[in-house]
Amino acid sequence: MKRALVTGARGFVGRAAVRALAAAGYEVHPVSRGRREGPGWHTADLLDPAAAAELMRDARPSHLLHLAWTTEHGRYWEDPANADWLAATRRLLEAFGEAGGSRFVLAGSCAQYEWGGGEPLSETGTPRSPATLYGRAKQDASEIVEASGLSTATALLFFPYGPHERPERLVPSVARRLLAGEEAPTSSGTQVRDFIHVSDCGGALAALLDSDVTGPVNIGSGEGSAVAEVAEAVARIVGRPELLRVGALPGGDRTSVVAAVRRLCDEVGFRPRLSLEQGLRDAVEWWRQRTRRR
């Protein structure tokens, strides 16, 4: 049986990836910094130089999906810890190779691209010119992974949303306020982004890990939506559109950040299941249930 080690398994995307890999028949070994959540879980602080080798001895993985990184909302873009996670990724990759691992997939980011053009961002045609410390560290990690000599890929994640998302982000911040009967302010929302439901993101990561596709692969829907349109859809689903305040917050621009998904669809063989409407309904219902439990 194929054994997949998943770092960052308690995170927003990690939860979905663990479920998808288990459904695909993998023996999944989730890793988190905190408590174990069940059989097969491992706890490790990957910033500890000794952690990677110890994990390999314990889990003996054939496949590794590396999701763990600095993710604190509003801080991670320029967090000095990005350099620490780059070093941790190098150690993890080396330990995995020394332990005989065969397939390594790194979670990268659309922040590795140069933003500003109007065309979908392409793995082969769009320049890599990260504007943030986070994007530069992810790009450096991608280059290290791709030069390792193993079978590797970098999953360039666009804008996942859905259950377990950090409450400060767009969809939950609007949904939670409206569900509480409060006004929900947003920016002008003119920026266009590629939103993908987290279950589809997890499914795409599992499919990529299970494939022999190498190099960068975009993980997105291939469709762009203005942030204001997404907020308006959430307000309509909640049933409180009169409480939405588009333009009440500063920010908003005309950039378009949308994935070209030919590699994901044609080479990996994965296509998202959920439309934006279906995905937003699922996300709103998840937050609605948690509002009722309070």
Side-chain angles (χ1 to χ4, degrees):
M1 176 179 286
K2 293 176 286 190
R3 300 162 66 91
L5 186 70
V6 181
T7 70
R10 289 184 64 215
F12 168 47
V13 173
R15 294 170 186 267
V18 166
R19 289 193 297 270
L21 284 166
Y26 277 78
E27 179 183 302
V28 184
H29 289 256
V31 183
S32 64
R33 185 179 293 179
R35 68 183 185 279
R36 290 182 173 90
E37 295 199 0
W41 277 78
H42 303 262
T43 58
D45 179 0
L46 293 176
L47 299 183
D48 179 346
E54 184 176 340
L55 264 178
M56 297 309 129
R57 288 193 298 269
D58 290 346
R60 294 175 289 109
S62 58
H63 293 62
L64 200 158
L65 176 60
H66 181 32
L67 300 172
W69 204 271
T70 177
T71 59
E72 184 179 347
H73 183 73
R75 173 177 168 80
Y76 70 93
W77 292 113
E78 299 297 339
D79 188 350
N82 279 290
D84 299 329
W85 280 103
L86 176 59
T89 299
R90 188 192 298 272
R91 291 193 298 268
L92 191 67
L93 180 66
E94 290 174 351
F96 179 66
E98 290 170 0
S102 62
R103 175 74 171 162
F104 188 106
V105 170
L106 168 71
S109 170
C110 61
Q112 293 171 227
Y113 285 116
E114 179 180 302
W115 292 7
E119 297 298 316
L121 305 182
S122 162
E123 298 97 334
T124 57
T126 305
R128 302 295 177 85
S129 183
T132 62
L133 181 59
Y134 169 77
R136 292 191 293 274
K138 285 286 190 179
Q139 181 59 28
D140 288 346
S142 297
E143 293 171 5
I144 290 169
V145 166
E146 291 168 11
S148 69
L150 299 174
S151 172
T152 66
T154 299
L156 300 170
L157 273 58
F158 277 67
F159 297 89
Y161 68 94
H164 298 287
E165 188 174 6
R166 288 181 179 270
E168 302 90 352
R169 291 172 62 87
L170 173 66
V171 172
S173 68
V174 172
R176 291 171 72 242
R177 284 181 175 273
L178 296 179
L179 287 166
E182 302 172 358
E183 291 186 349
T186 73
S187 71
S188 62
T190 51
Q191 60 272 46
V192 173
R193 300 291 184 260
D194 187 329
F195 294 91
I196 180 170
H197 191 273
V198 70
S199 65
D200 282 328
C201 185
L205 288 167
L208 179 58
L209 188 68
D210 197 43
S211 76
D212 58 5
V213 175
T214 60
V217 178
N218 288 337
I219 306 297
S221 69
E223 299 180 0
S225 300
V227 165
E229 293 173 357
V230 173
E232 289 162 359
V234 170
R236 173 175 47 77
I237 292 166
V238 172
R240 300 304 302 269
E242 75 281 1
L243 293 178
L244 184 65
R245 299 289 181 266
V246 174
L249 297 178
D253 53 51
R254 296 285 179 178
T255 58
S256 177
V257 184
V258 179
V261 293
R262 184 197 61 79
R263 295 206 77 201
L264 178 64
C265 295
D266 296 348
E267 297 182 40
V268 179
F270 181 86
R271 286 174 171 77
R273 295 183 306 107
L274 298 178
S275 67
L276 183 61
E277 177 74 16
Q278 292 169 324
L280 290 175
R281 287 188 177 278
D282 177 76
V284 168
E285 183 58 28
W286 193 84
W287 286 107
R288 193 191 304 276
Q289 293 300 323
R290 273 136 195 84
T291 300
R292 288 172 178 166
R293 293 174 190 171
R294 293 176 184 173

